[in-house]
Amino acid sequence: MENIKKAAMLLKQDEIVAMPTETVYGLAASILSKVAVEKIFKAKGRPQDNPLIVHISSVDELSKYAKDINPLAFVLYKAFKGMPLSIVLNKNDIIPDVVSAGLKTVAIRIPNNDIAIALIKELGAPIAAPSANLSGLPSPTTAEEVFDDLNGKIPAILDGGKCAVGVESTVLSLVSDTPVLLRPGFVTFEMLKEYLPNIKMSESIFKTLKKDEVVSCPGMKYKHYAPKTKLCMLSGDMAKIEQYLAENVTDDKGVICFEETKVKAKNKFIYGKMSDANSCNHLVYSVLREIDEYNLNLVYVVSGGNDKEFLAIYNRLIKACSHNEIKF
Ligand code: TXA
Ligand code: MG
């Protein structure tokens, strides 16, 4: 509690601090401090046209920060209470342009993490927070990973241990007649479709957009989630993937795979169970960071496909692989 008070004090003094959320660590600023929000972009090296997610402590606050709210937003925040869902809505004037990167909309979510909620309450204002990594690197899911990226650039990190979910929130736009899934996450397309039968997926989920392309989710056009090591995704028939690995893996290469994957490799990194996509979400970013310590020439990434719960992780991994993929 003492640390949360100190962190809130820093935020009130136009500073930024890293905080845990249930998804990944965030780099927090008060939405009311333009100076602090600008510090976020500087510390991360984040492109100016990429808007920040606003974190509130309760759905009761929503109408202070968004206007012309699609009533379905209330239904969804209730239905997915405690789950990581950011909804893009029309913003109120109180949200500064620097937070929304000049857009008329704002993505809002309610984090399910006691430290994040306590910090918002202690500050008395919503928190704007992107993931607390250097722009382009995998998101941090431990305080140590935040330290590795931002040591010397920020005054404090609140340590909440390993993040429960491990990949960033689902981002859903409700600003036009057709709801659009902008970024897949723990709350899946299928879960949302039960409430939004006409929901569409943004094409940015599957392809990398050009730098100057105008898009509904600006963050999706930048290189993301990528370690320094060259990656190649292997997807499709598992028996064929295992055969390919047996024929191609040498000591200078690595394999990121499932517990279930049958492969002999000197550099093998397990990111979860193929039978449980959420176990992979939990570990994937730490594994992507870890492989850079081995100076490998190439790392194969065994994919679990892009269906249902695996879409979120596929979306991160295919970008980490720069769309370098062999299909079997
Ligand atoms: O789980 C999360 O969402 C984490 C934690 C810290 O809350 N935050 C996070 O923020 O992942 P960031 O900045 O790394 O990713 C936010 C994504 C970006 O792709 C951004 O373009 C998109 O959300 N976004 C934010 N505001 C938007 C808006 N008004 N319209 C469309 N996309 C928006
Ligand atoms: Mg990010």
Side-chain angles (χ1 to χ4, degrees):
M1 200 57 217
E2 201 45 41
N3 288 339
I4 290 169
K5 282 211 165 97
K6 281 187 198 158
M9 190 57 80
L10 284 166
L11 295 181
K12 284 178 193 168
Q13 292 163 348
D14 297 325
E15 269 305 335
I16 55 178
V17 301
M19 67 170 187
T21 80
E22 81 283 30
T23 55
V24 301
Y25 275 73
L27 188 53
S30 165
I31 65 151
L32 303 177
S33 169
K34 188 169 177 273
V35 173
V37 174
E38 279 166 355
K39 284 183 183 170
I40 288 180
F41 284 87
K42 186 152 181 263
K44 278 182 63 93
R46 183 179 176 100
Q48 294 289 339
D49 67 349
N50 195 2
L52 305 178
I53 292 177
V54 167
H55 300 69
I56 58 175
S57 59
S58 150
V59 71
D60 301 339
E61 309 258 289
L62 196 61
S63 34
K64 269 199 236 166
Y65 304 103
K67 64 181 178 192
D68 314 323
I69 302 171
N70 183 331
L72 281 167
F74 294 98
V75 175
L76 294 171
Y77 282 123
K78 192 167 170 215
F80 297 107
K81 193 166 187 243
M83 294 187 212
L85 176 64
S86 300
I87 304 183
V88 177
L89 300 163
N90 292 309
K91 81 173 189 73
N92 256 341
D93 289 345
I94 189 171
I95 306 278
D97 281 345
V98 60
V99 170
S100 65
L103 298 177
K104 292 194 160 45
T105 58
V106 61
I108 300 184
R109 83 179 194 94
I110 304 151
N112 181 11
N113 177 288
D114 291 347
I115 296 177
I117 293 292
L119 186 61
I120 298 166
K121 287 188 174 161
E122 185 67 32
L123 173 66
I127 283 176
S131 48
N133 50 287
L134 290 176
S135 210
L137 293 188
S139 296
T141 56
T142 64
E144 290 77 15
E145 289 167 359
V146 177
F147 185 84
D148 288 345
D149 276 20
L150 297 176
N151 178 29
K153 295 186 168 183
I154 59 174
I157 302 172
L158 288 170
D159 188 348
K162 175 96 175 157
C163 298
V165 174
V167 295
E168 307 87 342
S169 62
T170 303
V171 182
L172 167 74
S173 172
L174 285 186
V175 290
S176 54
D177 290 343
T178 308
V180 184
L181 179 69
L182 296 175
R183 181 173 72 182
F186 180 90
V187 177
T188 64
F189 182 76
E190 288 73 19
M191 286 155 85
L192 293 168
K193 202 171 167 67
E194 290 206 12
Y195 297 84
L196 309 165
N198 60 338
I199 184 174
K200 295 270 177 312
M201 270 190 217
S202 164
E203 53 177 27
S204 60
I205 292 172
F206 293 102
K207 66 170 202 174
T208 295
L209 300 155
K210 294 187 198 74
K211 260 197 160 173
D212 49 2
E213 207 161 327
V214 176
V215 286
S216 49
C217 192
M220 300 298 246
K221 73 183 171 191
Y222 295 105
K223 183 165 175 173
H224 253 96
Y225 323 118
K228 292 181 201 83
T229 311
K230 187 169 181 239
L231 302 180
C232 175
M233 183 181 275
L234 306 179
S235 58
D237 186 278
M238 209 44 77
K240 288 186 184 152
I241 290 176
E242 286 168 352
Q243 193 188 338
Y244 182 87
L245 288 171
E247 288 163 5
N248 289 279
V249 175
T250 42
D251 283 358
D252 62 332
K253 294 182 186 156
V255 183
I256 296 177
C257 62
F258 302 106
E259 266 178 32
E260 294 96 330
T261 314
K262 293 191 198 76
V263 56
K264 276 206 190 106
K266 182 174 163 221
N267 306 296
K268 178 173 164 179
F269 307 89
I270 289 175
Y271 72 116
K273 290 196 182 75
M274 192 162 157
S275 55
D276 177 8
N278 290 326
S279 71
C280 305
N281 288 342
H282 186 65
L283 288 182
V284 67
Y285 281 136
S286 293
V287 170
L288 286 180
R289 282 175 175 262
E290 189 191 346
I291 57 167
D292 273 343
E293 292 164 21
Y294 292 79
N295 282 319
L296 298 166
N297 287 329
L298 178 68
V299 172
Y300 294 112
V301 182
V302 178
S303 157
N306 56 18
D307 213 25
K308 302 195 174 92
E309 288 85 2
F310 269 106
L311 180 62
I313 208 156
Y314 174 84
N315 165 254
R316 275 53 168 198
L317 286 176
I318 195 70
K319 288 178 193 206
C321 295
S322 300
H323 294 266
N324 194 9
E325 180 179 21
I326 305 175
K327 294 182 183 163
F328 293 91

